[in-house]
């Protein structure tokens, strides 16, 4: 079934899940209008997205929070823990490692690595920063599935290559650089300074 | 001139600037191939992008780092300081406030606000977390230009409305929620958990 879920729907599922988790506190059932507002689409699109999951709401009432949340977690593969390694213990890498938002979705940061002698051995959120040479061993020993790149741009490609060679199939790239990988590797990119640069440009207009 | 720069070019300028800043250490001139690799486009696209800025490289040598960097900073409006307010002192808001990457581009976080009594009065990277009621006064007093939303999704829209009413024209939305604003307001969105959710989905395939 999963293969048939359109990419655009997949991209909206985390938003629905966050909305459901947030609304969960208020206990009541969750209408497709609530979800639509949270995801910035219309209610018809929500119903269509959720139909791919085999989830059906009750007319005039809505969707059962807990059931729908569980369904989305299953489809996204968030019911198991995903070991994550962070490469780069600079400001961005440290900030991310400290960010507790990952835990709640089952992303478990198992190691933080760096090449900088001044950073290796220091502590980031309970983890000791390890030398980059340990990368391959850590990936194997801890079954790392996701690599988060928080390196300088010049190091991003070579670290990505090492992650992929070690068997990591998913990369979240926070380095301000485009990386090239084989087609079977999933790469997502988040670039805060680009977003702020674009905002700064528009400030002038 | 700025009005004629295509949006796609604007979106690549921060990447070029980061590349230039990074390569600056190596001192040599910077070819359009270097920039192309960093931005994930071809060299012809780089030359076209930079021609909008009136920047011309020397054939066979490349672009002068410092001059090109300065030119991009001018066009993006990064030559002046932009006061920024962060709303939400949770994990994401704190991580961002601690992220030093903003400083180097002239983004100055002048205040961190929250509604949570347990957070108000605590210190985040040298700033005392202030109550959200202070928002309008801070925007006026400090000339805040950019608001960073790091609130729970349910609060994102109302805080965005208050920012806009107070005169803020640029919003970086890190809350997992879509916000609606008037056309003249620039909104950029970064959603880490969505990116990770998408990666988790692809892990299963």
């Amino acid at each position: 079934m999963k293969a048939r879920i359109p990419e655009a729907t997949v991209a909206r599922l985390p938003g629905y899940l966050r909305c459901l988790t947030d609304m969960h506190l208020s206990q009541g059932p969750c209408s497709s209008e609530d979800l639509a507002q949270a995801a910035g689409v219309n209610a018809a699109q929500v119903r269509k997205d959720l139909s791919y999951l085999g989830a059906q709401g009750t007319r005039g009432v809505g969707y059962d929070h807990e059931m729908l949340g569980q369904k989305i977690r299953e489809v996204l593969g968030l019911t198991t823990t995903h070991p994550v390694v962070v490469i780069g213990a600079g400001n961005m890498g440290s900030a991310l490692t400290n960010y507790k938002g990952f835990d709640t979705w089952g992303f478990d940061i198992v190691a933080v690595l760096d090449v900088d002698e001044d950073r290796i051995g220091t502590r980031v959120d309970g983890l000791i920063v390890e030398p980059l040479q340990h990368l391959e061993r850590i990936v194997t020993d801890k079954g790392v599935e996701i690599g988060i790149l928080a390196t300088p741009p010049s190091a991003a490609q070579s670290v990505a290559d090492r992650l992929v060679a070690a068997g990591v199939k998913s990369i979240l790239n926070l380095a301000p650089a485009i990386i090239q990988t084989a087609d079977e590797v999933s790469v997502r990119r988040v670039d805060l300074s680009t977003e702020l640069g674009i905002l700064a440009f528009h400030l002038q207009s």
Side-chain angles (χ1 to χ4, degrees), chain A:
Chain A
M1 183 189 75
K2 281 168 186 176
R4 291 205 310 270
I5 302 181
E7 195 68 17
T9 296
V10 171
R12 281 189 290 270
L13 293 181
Y16 296 147
L17 181 56
R18 289 300 292 254
C19 176
L20 286 163
T21 316
D22 193 54
M23 289 199 292
H24 192 67
L25 303 167
S26 65
Q27 299 294 335
C30 171
S31 71
S32 43
E33 281 76 16
D34 294 332
L35 291 169
Q37 203 182 356
V41 294
N42 62 35
Q45 183 66 59
V46 172
R47 282 190 295 270
K48 193 167 179 194
D49 284 343
L50 299 183
S51 73
Y52 289 111
L53 278 57
Q56 283 190 306
T58 308
R59 187 170 293 272
V61 177
Y63 295 90
D64 177 83
H65 281 191
E66 212 147 329
M67 210 187 60
L68 186 53
Q70 182 58 22
K71 194 82 197 169
I72 294 176
R73 270 187 212 95
E74 279 166 19
V75 169
L76 288 178
L78 300 177
T79 49
T80 52
T81 299
H82 298 290
V84 175
V85 68
V86 174
I87 300 104
N91 292 310
M92 181 54 91
S94 301
L96 268 171
T97 307
N98 278 298
Y99 174 51
K100 299 286 172 282
F102 292 144
D103 307 2
T104 51
W105 282 27
F107 299 106
D108 179 24
I109 298 178
V110 296
V112 184
L113 308 173
D114 207 300
V115 290
D116 186 336
E117 292 295 336
D118 291 339
R119 288 178 189 155
I120 295 166
T122 62
R123 202 171 270 277
V124 176
D125 194 41
L127 292 166
I128 306 274
V129 178
E130 298 187 58
L132 186 62
Q133 295 100 281
H134 294 183
L135 181 64
E136 286 75 9
R137 186 172 52 72
I138 290 168
V139 168
T140 306
D141 288 358
K142 311 225 170 180
V144 169
E145 295 178 328
I146 298 175
I148 299 186
L149 290 183
T151 66
S154 55
Q157 183 65 56
S158 66
V159 172
D161 291 344
R162 287 179 62 180
L163 280 167
V164 173
V168 174
K169 290 273 188 292
S170 288
I171 295 175
L172 179 62
N173 180 18
L174 303 169
I178 308 284
I179 55 170
Q180 316 286 342
T181 58
D183 286 348
E184 73 268 21
V185 179
S186 303
V187 178
R188 303 291 302 184
R189 183 161 179 247
V190 167
D191 183 348
L192 282 176
S193 18
T194 290
E195 299 304 330
L196 281 164
I198 294 169
L199 285 179
F201 176 80
H202 288 296
L203 275 176
Q204 308 170 104
S205 327

